[in-house]
Amino acid sequence: MWRRSASVPSIARLAETWSWLNARVMPWVSLASGVAFAVLWREGVDGVRAAFVLASLFGAVTLLVVAPPWRRGAGGGVATWLGEAAWWATVGLAQNAIWFVLPFVVLATTWPSRNAPWTLLLVALAVISCFDLVLREHLLRRPALTAAFVGPVALTTLQLFLPVLTGVPPRHTAWAAGALAGPAVVLLVVRRGRPVTMVAATLGAAAVGAVVGRLALPLLAPAPMRLVSATFALGRDGLDPVAPVAALPAGRDEPAYVFVAVEAPRGLHETVHLVIGDAASRPLAVEGGRAGGYRLWGPVPVPADGTVETKVLTEGGQLVGRVAAGVGPPAPDPSAPEAPSAAAP
């Protein structure tokens, strides 16, 4: 009869070794790899992102096979197995999703602005997500902390992808993103319950999440849309600036112009406004997928002094970016005769 050799590690030994690595080594490996992959993605290495997601999913599957969490429970059959597996899978997806969306959000954030606190929250959650045991054994065992972690991650991830995948403007997909993020939080917080109770809690969370998602939209960076360039100029030739300037000349009767380029992926349809001072332009449609960004322009009245600021706002209230130019001395008139210079003594 075949007997297992003493050199062949048992499942319990593998689980013990994995637990030790997961507690002592993997948090720092995850943090370093997450930061490295975010930087590499910024340089255009998209394959690294895919490799990171696949490796993370492989690690999650390995953890479920070697040390399945439901073995630590009190039993309960297939229902308990499915509930625990769904809990671990959802948390694992949230841990991976936050590192995927974070570069998009950071690039789309205007610093400082009302978008910055939400982005900083995501950065903190990304760091926390690397410390697996702390996250799963402590934070996610408390309902309020579970909602604080999964809610922002789910809302941001869904709001990033839904407008591109569906072609629906972000101000409308925010309702759907919130309606989907709410039940995800409930299913993690209320892990067991009567079917009627679970259905009622899920529907209630969807309704509340939809409202919260729409109200929170102005606080989110408009990822994956972002402002890539902005220029002030004294004239224009179609969509091209003529005589670009860093400071606007005071005393100018004719308006100057501001030109912006908004980058967005193919499939994204959004409407923005150029807000110059306190005046907002007419709605301007932005279609994603154009090389160099979707270019927009607007006239800028030049005050006697001070600073002229232009903001790009979506109809949902998200800040795409802003640019400012100071008002300097009047430009010299090239037709005016030069003043005679004083003779040297």
Side-chain angles (χ1 to χ4, degrees), residues 104-332:
F104 292 93
V105 175
V106 171
L107 290 175
T109 300
T110 302
W111 306 91
S113 71
R114 61 190 179 193
N115 307 142
W118 187 276
T119 302
L120 293 175
L121 171 63
L122 292 178
V123 171
L125 295 179
V127 175
I128 293 173
S129 71
C130 296
F131 296 84
D132 193 73
L133 290 183
V134 175
L135 177 68
R136 298 174 188 245
E137 299 298 333
H138 297 284
L139 298 183
L140 296 183
R141 301 299 178 181
R142 297 185 173 99
L145 295 179
T146 299
F149 176 79
V150 177
V153 174
L155 179 62
T156 304
T157 304
L158 291 167
Q159 186 59 19
L160 179 75
F161 286 105
L162 285 178
V164 179
L165 295 177
T166 64
V168 178
R171 63 185 180 277
H172 299 317
T173 59
W175 297 94
L180 293 173
V185 173
V186 167
L187 293 176
L188 291 178
V189 172
V190 187
R191 299 171 63 181
R192 294 182 180 87
R194 298 174 57 189
V196 175
T197 303
M198 293 296 294
V199 170
T202 302
L203 294 177
V208 173
V211 176
V212 172
R214 182 59 183 87
L215 293 177
L217 183 61
L219 304 179
L220 275 66
M225 183 171 60
R226 65 190 184 101
L227 185 68
V228 292
S229 66
T231 305
F232 285 95
L234 301 182
R236 72 179 185 90
D237 181 11
L239 293 175
D240 297 319
V242 175
V245 293
L248 298 174
R252 179 182 172 87
D253 296 330
E254 298 179 353
Y257 298 91
V258 62
F259 299 82
V260 300
V262 178
E263 184 180 74
R266 186 179 303 276
L268 182 65
H269 306 280
E270 179 60 291
T271 302
V272 302
H273 296 269
L274 294 180
V275 181
I276 304 170
D278 297 327
S281 70
R282 60 181 177 84
L284 304 171
V286 173
E287 302 293 335
R290 293 198 177 185
Y294 197 91
R295 295 188 294 172
L296 307 168
W297 67 274
V300 179
V302 182
D305 56 12
T307 301
V308 176
E309 183 180 72
T310 299
K311 299 178 183 178
V312 183
L313 292 177
T314 69
E315 285 209 333
Q318 292 178 286
L319 176 63
V320 181
R322 61 171 174 247
V323 59
V327 178

Side-chain angles (χ1 to χ4, degrees), residues 52-53 91-103 153-154 157 161:
F52 174 70
V53 174
V91 172
L93 288 174
Q95 287 178 279
N96 286 281
I98 190 171
W99 280 105
F100 184 86
V101 304
L102 191 58
V153 174
T157 304
F161 286 105

